[in-house]
Amino acid sequence: MQSATGAYQGYIQYWAIASQAADPDNADLARYVADPLLSLTRHNIQRLRDNGQVQLGAQTRIRG
C-alpha cells in the first residue's frame, strides 16, 4: 500500500509542477503514471499551454 501512496503523491506533485510551467513533456510524470492516464495528463497540460495558461499554486489535501 505504501508504494501505491508514494506513486500517487509523486504524480500529484509532478502534475502540479508540470501544470505550473505548462510543460506537458515533463519527464518526471512518466515516473509515477503510465498510459492511458499519462497521455491524458499530458493532453490536459498541453491545453493549458495552447491557451497561454498555467496552473497557479498546487493541490492541497482536504482533511475531514
Side-chain angles (χ1 to χ4, degrees), residues 5-44:
T5 302
Y8 177 74
Q9 290 172 344
Y11 167 68
I12 294 299
Q13 176 184 357
Y14 286 102
W15 173 41
I17 290 168
S19 295
Q20 290 166 7
D23 179 13
D25 300 317
N26 183 307
D28 291 312
L29 289 170
R31 291 177 44 205
Y32 296 99
V33 68
D35 280 329
L37 184 55
L38 178 58
S39 291
L40 179 61
T41 300
R42 287 185 168 157
H43 168 79
N44 290 336

Side-chain angles (χ1 to χ4, degrees), residues 47-59:
R47 289 187 66 201
L48 287 175
R49 174 184 273 180
D50 292 347
N51 290 318
Q53 300 172 332
V54 296
Q55 174 177 295
L56 299 178
Q59 297 74 18

